[in-house]
Amino acid sequence: MRLSSLADYAVVMMSASARQCGCRGGVTGRLNATLLSDETGIPLPTVQKLVSRLSSAGLIESTRGTGGGFRLSRPAAAISLADIIEAVEGPIVLTSCVDEGRHDCIIEENCRVKPHWNVVNGAVRGALAGVSLASLSAEVVA
């Protein structure tokens, strides 16, 4: 299992946002895409694309115009790694056979594992939901 580059960049960007805003405890300060691009090395068009997706998912609030920018919509401790990944990738599932209406698997009729995939998907999502943005943006002490 591997995250797409876009999901990885979203995690890096949100972590930088939490550090820059001082948002680990509360929701304060505003950022702009250029500042985040400069800090993270993520190309500006990609940051702008991610701002749109993260805003649509309700993870950041965006304001246009003078004094505009964006900020986390809630404290970093209340945003999980699962929230960020799902904002970019959609629901966290390891196989497509659990999607309603999908019937593209050649062994679907005889598969004895399919009924268990929802449990596995839930466990993976639960693990990712247990990691907060606050913990991802904290300084690591060696």
Side-chain angles (χ1 to χ4, degrees), residues 40-129:
T40 63
I42 299 170
L44 182 58
T46 303
V47 171
Q48 292 167 328
K49 179 179 187 176
L50 288 170
V51 165
S52 176
R53 287 191 186 186
L54 295 165
S55 179
S56 293
L59 298 179
I60 60 174
E61 297 171 344
S62 176
T63 305
R64 293 181 179 229
T66 305
F70 61 90
R71 65 180 184 172
L72 300 180
S73 63
R74 55 188 189 258
I79 298 173
S80 74
L81 183 53
D83 294 331
I84 300 167
I85 292 169
E86 287 180 331
V88 176
E89 301 279 341
I92 295 168
V93 294
L94 298 180
T95 65
S96 63
C97 69
V98 296
D99 293 340
E100 294 297 321
R102 296 275 310 248
H103 301 287
D104 56 356
C105 179
I106 62 171
I107 63 169
E108 180 177 17
E109 289 182 28
N110 300 317
C111 183
R112 293 178 180 233
V113 178
K114 181 179 178 176
H116 303 282
W117 276 116
N118 283 326
V119 173
V120 174
N121 292 334
V124 171
R125 191 194 187 288
L128 295 171

